[in-house]
Amino acid sequence: MLSAYIALTASAFTSATILPGTSEAAFAAFLYRYPQEVWGAWLAAGLANGLGSMVSYGMGRLVPDRKRPSEKVLRRFERWGVWLLLFAWVPVVGDALPIAAGWLRLDPLKCSLMLLAGKFIRYGVILAGIKALV
């Protein structure tokens, strides 16, 4: 079971970075194989996915000032601030949000809290969907 947790954690982590990943499938497969490990899987996936997003945030802080996020992203952050990071789990565009937040030098603690909240909500919704199907 340890190797399954490692695989789930790795998938969740990489899925939150610019690397490709399939954490939803890994999460569902883990729960199919180990249905008694619901809370452990939810915790591992949420934390790893949140940590992956914080790595992306850190990468954003390293982006030179002359490389700006798109005007659309800037307008959204001006309007919503760190709350926008609750949606960093959205496929494709979600990966750019933590990078933009880092580039904008938004508060790292607030960003990490929003990222983690969004990721735990994400896996909670997936978990609810799996439970509804079973």
Side-chain angles (χ1 to χ4, degrees), residues 5-81:
Y5 265 113
I6 291 170
L8 172 61
T9 302
S11 178
F13 179 84
T14 58
S15 292
T17 65
I18 57 174
L19 299 172
T22 56
S23 68
E24 296 87 356
F27 185 67
F30 183 96
L31 291 175
Y32 178 78
R33 177 74 172 97
Y34 303 103
Q36 72 281 6
E37 294 294 320
V38 169
W39 298 114
W42 180 70
L43 185 63
L47 286 174
N49 206 245
L51 183 59
S53 286
M54 283 308 294
V55 168
S56 294
Y57 170 91
M59 290 170 51
R61 291 186 71 102
L62 300 174
V63 173
D65 285 341
R66 67 183 183 279
K67 299 277 187 178
R68 297 175 47 91
S70 73
E71 289 301 318
K72 187 176 183 179
V73 169
L74 288 174
R75 281 194 308 274
R76 290 218 167 99
F77 269 109
E78 286 173 5
R79 181 172 182 191
W80 300 103

